Amino acid sequence: MNEISPQTEIVAAVRQRETRQTGWLTQIAIALGTMLLFIGLGVVVWDAVMVLLLVLVLLIHECGHFLAMRWFGYRNIKMFFVPMLGAAVSGRHFKIASWKKAIVALAGPVPSLVIATLCLLLGVGGRDSTSLTTLAGLMWVLNVLNLLPLLPLDGGQTSLPTMFHDSERPRNVWSEQLALAERIGAADAPALIPDDVEARVEMFGLCAVVLGEDGLVWNMRILADSPLARKYGYSEEASAAAADKIAGVLRLLDARLAAQSERGSPYLVGDAITAIDVYWATMSIAMMVPGPEIMPVTRQNQRMLQFFGMNKQIPAVGGALTERLEAHQRYILTTYCETPAVLGGDPL
């Protein structure tokens, strides 16, 4: 008889938990119960008609999210109202494509704006237009605000750094953006993607551990709980492991620079600057804040720079930062980047 290993049992338990669905009765009970609580507290503060209209607006909006999540296979989906604040739909997903997440985020506000427009047209053309126009106005205001690119609003869930060029398709993945920038850059500009295939593999591999999922920048974002951290999969377990993962990448880069230095190169790959040098030098500012001759301090950015400086105080991170990494950062920033980096603001 074949014995089942503890690892197999653990994996099976995790898979069972991931695929478990919340029952319909539970979903309805949560939505209805929190809705009644929302209405009960709302009528104490606001006009009863306005509260009911607001509930209708929120219900239409959240139903869009709910249906999109169901369509794309999200698990444990729950709709709930938050008294005096609004409503939300939560659900778990496992490796859902980015475009599907974007559709889920937009499935609330976009259909709501279409319905709001129809209500406005019907209200303006009708004799008793007060209720419809009020509903349309409320729906427009709330959903337009919800599209602002701020977390935790829906617009913040879809805000990705995206490159547009002529009539070509948009690009929001760093590797595609790099390839596009390389293609359309000035003819006399340094090539950031090596021609040599082996050097290219090394460069993209190092970029992945700095920029990619579960890489250095990713783990920097989940060091502490925040709306942005939640967007990147924050959990107490992931956050606890983040510092050691960052340190691992730092040690890898330091060892790489040491090996390159022995062969007489100040770069991470080959004998010329590549994208990984620029990416690392700029991203490392979040741990090693350069002096004001490179990054001038302003009233607007001083708190951000102070926050970046605190990351160096994390034992695992600070212990992996070396003079060699700092020297590389300074060399790349002062040689290949525009310094001082004047981004506006009120100088201090």
Side-chain angles (χ1 to χ4, degrees):
M1 181 181 294
N2 294 329
E3 294 184 359
I4 300 176
S5 67
Q7 292 85 352
T8 302
E9 293 179 347
I10 292 172
V11 170
V14 171
R15 289 287 179 265
Q16 183 179 10
R17 185 176 182 85
E18 287 175 348
T19 56
R20 185 177 60 194
Q21 286 276 28
T22 302
W24 277 100
L25 289 178
T26 301
Q27 294 175 11
I28 293 172
I30 293 172
L32 186 59
T34 54
M35 181 194 299
L36 293 175
L37 183 60
F38 184 98
I39 295 172
L41 294 177
V43 295
V44 175
V45 180
W46 302 311
D47 176 73
V49 174
M50 182 59 68
V51 172
L52 293 177
L53 289 176
L54 181 58
V55 168
L56 180 59
V57 169
L58 294 173
L59 187 61
I60 292 172
H61 178 103
E62 300 305 334
C63 278
H65 292 310
F66 185 91
L67 293 174
M69 286 182 175
R70 295 285 300 185
W71 180 264
F72 289 128
Y74 280 60
R75 304 288 176 175
N76 298 322
I77 307 172
K78 302 181 183 70
M79 181 191 300
F80 54 92
F81 286 74
V82 182
M84 315 301 292
L85 292 177
V89 174
S90 66
R92 296 175 60 86
H93 60 79
F94 183 69
K95 293 186 177 181
I96 296 292
S98 296
W99 67 269
K100 293 182 180 181
K101 295 179 184 177
I103 290 177
V104 168
L106 295 174
V110 173
S112 294
L113 290 174
V114 173
I115 295 173
T117 303
L118 294 175
C119 290
L120 183 61
L121 293 175
L122 292 173
V124 171
R127 293 182 179 179
D128 184 11
S129 61
T130 303
S131 298
L132 280 176
T133 52
T134 301
L135 177 64
L138 189 62
M139 195 175 291
W140 258 99
V141 170
L142 293 180
N143 283 282
V144 168
L145 289 175
N146 198 254
L147 284 172
L148 292 174
L150 302 171
L151 290 169
L153 302 179
D154 291 332
Q157 307 300 325
T158 60
S159 56
L160 294 172
T162 303
M163 288 180 66
F164 297 89
H165 176 64
D166 294 339
S167 58
E168 297 183 16
R169 62 180 177 82
R171 291 159 171 88
N172 55 27
V173 178
W174 66 265
S175 56
E176 294 182 342
Q177 293 172 348
L178 173 59
L180 176 61
E182 186 83 332
R183 177 164 59 85
I184 65 178
D188 58 348
L192 296 180
I193 300 178
D195 289 329
D196 180 75
V197 176
E198 289 187 5
R200 193 181 308 172
V201 169
E202 293 175 355
M203 187 273 295
F204 274 107
L206 290 173
C207 283
V209 298
V210 171
L211 304 171
E213 185 166 343
D214 204 31
L216 184 141
V217 176
W218 183 285
N219 281 285
M220 290 289 295
R221 289 169 173 160
I222 63 172
L223 282 171
D225 193 5
S226 69
L228 178 62
R230 295 281 173 176
K231 185 176 179 180
Y232 285 87
Y234 172 88
S235 68
E236 292 184 0
E237 294 80 7
S239 182
D244 287 334
K245 291 182 179 180
I246 294 169
V249 177
L250 295 177
R251 287 191 291 268
L252 171 68
L253 295 175
D254 183 66
R256 182 79 189 187
L257 286 173
Q260 285 285 92
S261 178
E262 290 183 1
R263 55 185 301 273
S265 173
Y267 306 105
L268 282 162
V269 175
D271 297 317
I273 188 171
T274 64
I276 181 56
D277 293 299
V278 178
Y279 278 133
W280 157 247
T282 51
M283 298 299 178
S284 64
I285 293 175
M287 291 168 285
M288 299 184 298
V289 180
E293 71 280 5
I294 294 178
M295 179 65 70
V297 181
T298 66
R299 184 169 60 85
Q300 288 77 14
N301 74 6
Q302 63 174 330
R303 294 293 182 88
M304 178 188 72
L305 295 179
Q306 290 172 0
F307 176 77
F308 286 168
M310 292 172 60
N311 290 326
K312 192 175 183 179
Q313 305 305 315
I314 300 172
V317 176
L321 291 171
T322 64
E323 293 182 1
R324 186 164 34 235
L325 289 171
E326 188 172 355
H328 177 268
Q329 180 206 60
R330 174 172 288 275
Y331 173 68
I332 298 299
L333 292 179
T334 56
T335 307
Y336 296 97
C337 300
E338 184 176 344
T339 56
V342 180
L343 305 177
D346 305 315
L348 295 178

